[in-house]
């Protein structure tokens, strides 16, 4: 082939190849964000970043109120604004919890969830310290209006 034919072939294939390169560049995972960076975004940009996190957080909360209420404690946005932390008292049940999240909303991307262990030690401490305020066992169940 001569130079003119190669040039026309290169120009003809370039529009087909360029989108593939752009897709590969977008596939890299984005880095963490800060609250200031998110606040500086336009509302459409914020929606693009935060909507998948809202969807998976809502599905996790629904799954936590359902069959996994005995291990679910809370769901929160991670500090990197790229994932969601879900706190379970028994992280071994994390895979089953993730399945329940997917059942609650099939659109929820469970890869955005970080399962964290949340102990019940603060609850035990609060109950023990509250128990010392009352004089008799019956006072614990009394309704206090003052």
């Amino acid at each position: 082939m001569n130079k003119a034919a190669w040039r026309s072939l290169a120009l003809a294939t370039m529009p087909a190849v360029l989108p593939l390169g752009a897709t590969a560049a977008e596939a890299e995972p984005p880095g963490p964000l800060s609250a200031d960076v998110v606040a500086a975004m336009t509302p459409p940009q914020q929606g693009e970043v935060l909507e998948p996190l809202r969807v998976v957080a809502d599905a996790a909360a629904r799954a936590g109120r359902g069959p996994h209420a005995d291990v679910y404690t809370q769901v929160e946005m991670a500090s990197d604004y790229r994932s969601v932390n879900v706190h379970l008292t028994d992280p071994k049940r994390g895979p089953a919890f993730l399945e329940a999240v997917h059942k609650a909303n099939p659109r929820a991307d469970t890869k955005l969830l970080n399962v964290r262990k949340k102990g019940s030690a603060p609850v035990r401490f609060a109950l023990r310290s509250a128990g010392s305020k009352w004089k008799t066992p019956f006072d614990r169940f009394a309704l206090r209006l003052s």
Side-chain angles (χ1 to χ4, degrees), residues 20-67:
L20 297 175
T23 305
E26 290 176 10
E28 293 180 20
L33 296 173
S34 67
D36 294 333
V37 171
V38 173
M41 291 178 175
T42 64
Q45 290 172 328
Q46 285 180 351
E48 199 174 298
V49 170
L50 299 177
E51 186 59 25
L53 301 176
R54 289 182 187 128
V55 169
V56 75
D58 178 59
R62 283 191 281 147
R65 287 189 303 265

Side-chain angles (χ1 to χ4, degrees), residues 83-108:
S83 60
V84 174
N85 296 329
V86 61
H87 296 274
L88 304 177
T89 56
D90 184 8
K92 292 178 201 167
R93 290 186 45 195
F97 185 83
L98 294 178
E99 286 180 30
V101 169
H102 184 70
K103 285 181 185 175
N105 187 348
R107 291 186 324 118

Side-chain angles (χ1 to χ4, degrees), residues 64-122:
R65 287 189 303 265
H68 298 280
D70 58 332
V71 294
Y72 170 78
T73 59
Q74 71 182 45
V75 65
E76 66 182 358
M77 177 88 63
S79 62
D80 65 354
Y81 288 89
R82 294 289 186 192
S83 60
V84 174
N85 296 329
V86 61
H87 296 274
L88 304 177
T89 56
D90 184 8
K92 292 178 201 167
R93 290 186 45 195
F97 185 83
L98 294 178
E99 286 180 30
V101 169
H102 184 70
K103 285 181 185 175
N105 187 348
R107 291 186 324 118
D109 184 3
T110 56
K111 293 176 187 170
L112 298 175
L113 283 177
N114 303 317
V115 175
R116 306 273 189 234
K117 179 172 173 45
K118 184 75 167 191
S120 57

